[in-house]
Amino acid sequence: MTRLPVKIKLTGYHSAIYIRIPRSFQGLVNAEYQYGSTKLSDEVRSRVRYSKEEEQMTRLFLGEFDESHFSFETWAGDEVNAKTTHGSLYLSYDDEPEPKGIFSRLWGSVFS
């Protein structure tokens, strides 16, 4: 059975954007930021087949990439479009363990 494409569009202003995609995701990731960056989990990074970084934008393709049959203008598959002004984009798979922040690590070290 063929699944419908995953289409995610998120906008933030003074915030980081955390996106957790399914492992079956195969497609484009477009991230725009004014003061920030794009951060990928190790597992997502291992599936990047195309990467282009410009001044305030990162464009990626995850999964199998056939350049001869691809066009950004006509792409109809999976796609993430995220934009934030003051923050970064964090991308990981939905079945990966959530990374622990500094406060949860400190809290755990105090009470373990």
Side-chain angles (χ1 to χ4, degrees):
M1 183 162 96
T2 304
R3 69 168 176 77
L4 294 173
V6 173
K7 301 286 187 183
I8 300 171
K9 184 174 183 177
L10 299 165
T11 303
Y13 184 68
H14 283 291
S15 61
I17 297 176
Y18 295 86
I19 302 172
R20 297 175 61 81
I21 57 174
R23 288 216 180 251
S24 60
F25 185 97
Q26 180 171 304
L28 293 171
V29 176
N30 297 301
E32 290 184 58
Y33 40 82
Q34 190 168 357
Y35 303 103
S37 63
T38 302
K39 303 190 186 310
L40 309 174
S41 72
D42 290 339
E43 292 186 50
V44 169
R45 188 176 299 110
S46 73
R47 297 209 47 231
V48 172
R49 298 297 176 255
Y50 170 86
S51 176
K52 182 175 182 181
E53 292 193 37
E54 295 175 352
E55 287 183 24
Q56 298 173 337
M57 182 173 188
T58 300
R59 183 174 267 183
L60 307 169
F61 191 94
L62 302 177
E64 297 301 316
F65 182 71
D66 183 358
E67 193 172 346
S68 64
H69 294 97
F70 178 80
S71 167
F72 285 108
E73 292 76 29
T74 61
W75 178 252
D78 295 339
E79 191 168 352
V80 170
N81 289 291
K83 182 177 182 178
T84 185
T85 304
H86 298 278
S88 293
L89 167 76
Y90 297 86
L91 186 66
S92 63
Y93 288 115
D94 59 0
D95 62 352
E96 289 185 78
E98 291 196 35
K100 293 190 175 190
I102 184 70
F103 292 114
S104 62
R105 286 194 303 258
L106 287 172
W107 186 263
S109 65
V110 170
F111 292 101
S112 59

